[in-house]
Amino acid sequence: MKTLSRIALILLAAVLIAGATYALAQSGWADSFTNSVIGANQAQMTATHDALQAAGAQPESHGEYFAMAGNLLKIALVAAGVILLSVVLEKRAKLRLAV
Amino acid sequence: MATTRKANPTRVNLWLDVLMLVVFLIVFDPRLTGGTIHEWLGLAIGATVIVHLLRHWNWIAQVTRRFLGRTTAAARLNYLVDALFFVALTLIILSGLMISEVVLPFVGLSGAESPFWHLLHNMAANWAVALVAIHTALHWKWVVNTVRRTVLRPASVAGRAVVGRAQKEVTP
């Protein structure tokens, strides 16, 4: 029973987020936001598309090529950055305590 | 009489987290899996997130109660990152369902045509990659310690525990 009520709470939180987003998607703001992002990236997307087509590769339609390797690299880099930052902050805190 | 060995919960958490990370990486490569696997596995991630949250429920409940009161800055940061990660995953699943070509038609429904959902799906996925990295980094010490204790040297740690207990019994 405890587990079921916890699952219900998690799903309720998800439904609230989804409901708010759905309402936002129906508004005019979603259209203008989409158009502005597409407009800002149009040149780069066209260039990537043309470069892939020129190289004989299928232009991207279902995600990027080598997405897994790219994501792993991104995760490793961001995680390394956060760990490094926490080590530096920890050392600084220790030094401050020592003074 | 057969005896049942109770699984070490920390070890179970570790393997569940490793499984989630692997599935996460696979789901985030739709070109590798194809659309069908991408969509079903994406929904499965939702189920594993629920299991993950249930296994850490006590911590979530504790920090929720104390968030504005007495708790550590690290706990607050963890909580915020986890909350943002939950929002990102919810948005990925919602937008994924809205642009679904397999799951929704399977249940007799159809999604939306708006490019907003495609954009949201990509943006939330990019945020989720960054957040999973931060989430992992914030738990890095736990990961290292747990791997050391339960995977690399489980026998020696267990042995030390037995020796420690024996020493406690001997010393007054």
Side-chain angles (χ1 to χ4, degrees), chain B residues 45-110:
Chain B
I45 276 245
T48 57
V49 167
I50 290 176
V51 174
H52 182 86
L53 291 175
L54 289 174
R55 292 192 69 87
H56 296 87
W57 192 266
N58 289 339
W59 181 86
I60 296 168
Q62 215 171 51
V63 183
T64 305
R65 272 195 297 269
R66 292 183 188 169
F67 191 80
L68 296 174
R70 273 187 67 178
T71 191
T72 61
R76 276 199 196 98
L77 180 65
N78 268 321
Y79 191 86
L80 281 177
V81 169
D82 295 357
L84 285 175
F85 191 35
F86 180 76
V87 171
L89 282 177
T90 305
L91 293 182
I92 293 171
I93 293 174
L94 170 73
S95 54
L97 284 173
M98 296 308 287
I99 58 175
S100 164
E101 291 170 4
V102 180
V103 174
L104 273 197
F106 180 79
V107 291
L109 296 170
S110 58

